[in-house]
Each structure stands twice: as C-alpha cells, then as structure tokens.
Amino acid sequence: MDVFSLYRPVDGPDESPAPLRDNSYVLGDEGFVYTGVQLESGLTMRHPAVLLLSADGAPFKVGVPGDAPPSRAAAVLVPPRVSRTLDARGVPLLSFNVMPSHRAFHVFRAMQHPGVCALDRDGFNHLAPALHELVFGEPSAERAAEVFDQAVNEA
C-alpha cells in the first residue's frame, strides 16, 4: 500500500492505522485548500477559481453539463462560476480555491474556456513532498500558504 492509502501511517508496531481525515487550510481572504481521499460532489458551481490536483498523480473524474462521459485527469483548473461534477473517491485530492481577492484571480477569471481545463500533472511534481504534507494535515498555516501560492503560480 502506498503512502496515500486511506490510512495515516503508524509510528510503532502496536498502533493501528487511523483513517485519513479531510483537511482544510483557510488562508485569509486569499483562498483555502481542502484535501480528502473520498471527495465526490454532484453538479456544483464555485465563485473562486479552483485547482483540483491529485497528490499522487492518480486520475479523478470531472464532468461539466453537456459533456459525456466525465473527463479523467490528475490536474484540472476550474474557472470561476463554471458548473462541474467531481468523483475523486479513493484519490488523495487537493482543492486549491483562489478567491477574487487573490492577486492571480484575474488570470483565472479571464479564461474563455467554456468548461474545465486539464493541466499536465507533471508540472506539479516538484511540489510532491508538500502535497503529501497537506494531505496528511502536517504543515503549519504558513507552510500551507506557501504551497498554495506555489501551486497557483504553477497553474
């Protein structure tokens, strides 16, 4: 089983692994990061721009109205106010939500793509250790903000 199993690693042989919990890192009015391994939603629309990123590179499903079937990708950018569905059950997923007050929001707002935009997940490989920290709920608020900015800049 890899490090992104549904369970937290244990420190000693007498400890039982605990299920991974969802994590939320609120970064003031700039945005927030939400992580989980069983994320799924019906049709939803968010006001922030959202970068959906698989921590381990495994694909997840994202659908938009009128598209059938849902797309499979390991990194997706959802512009503001774009409706979509999500099925990332069993995938360690990070959802980077970029609020309108973030300095890069205007770039995502200006996207003319009618739906979601698949990204090359390999472009985020340099963030792998930090993504692992976020999924396991390990970083400080300052570190989470740093990773948020790095991921948004890469997108």
Side-chain angles (χ1 to χ4, degrees):
M1 198 174 277
D2 65 32
V3 296
F4 289 114
S5 69
L6 301 180
Y7 295 92
R8 294 179 181 275
V10 295
D11 291 329
D14 296 333
E15 295 182 42
S16 297
L20 275 176
R21 295 182 180 171
D22 293 355
N23 296 289
S24 180
Y25 306 90
V26 179
L27 308 170
D29 60 358
E30 298 280 308
F32 65 93
V33 182
Y34 191 85
T35 73
V37 293
Q38 295 294 331
L39 300 180
E40 178 183 24
S41 68
L43 190 62
T44 186
M45 179 181 57
R46 308 275 193 240
H47 289 279
V50 180
L51 170 62
L52 298 170
L53 189 59
S54 169
D56 66 358
F60 51 89
K61 295 178 187 174
V62 177
V64 292
D67 280 356
S71 301
R72 291 178 56 84
V76 171
L77 184 60
V78 184
R81 302 185 64 204
V82 169
S83 297
R84 55 96 176 148
T85 61
L86 173 67
D87 183 354
R89 290 172 290 178
V91 176
L93 190 75
L94 298 102
S95 177
F96 294 87
N97 290 255
V98 183
M99 302 301 272
S101 54
H102 190 277
R103 66 189 171 283
F105 181 81
H106 71 282
V107 174
F108 303 117
R109 185 184 65 218
M111 292 179 66
Q112 297 300 312
H113 196 276
V116 300
C117 179
L119 302 175
D120 181 1
R121 171 60 182 78
D122 290 344
F124 299 90
N125 284 347
H126 65 284
L127 295 175
L131 299 177
H132 177 272
E133 291 175 13
L134 289 169
V135 168
F136 283 95
E138 298 169 354
S140 65
E142 293 80 17
R143 177 70 173 138
E146 180 182 303
V147 176
F148 177 88
D149 284 337
Q150 290 172 342
V152 168
N153 288 339
E154 187 64 43

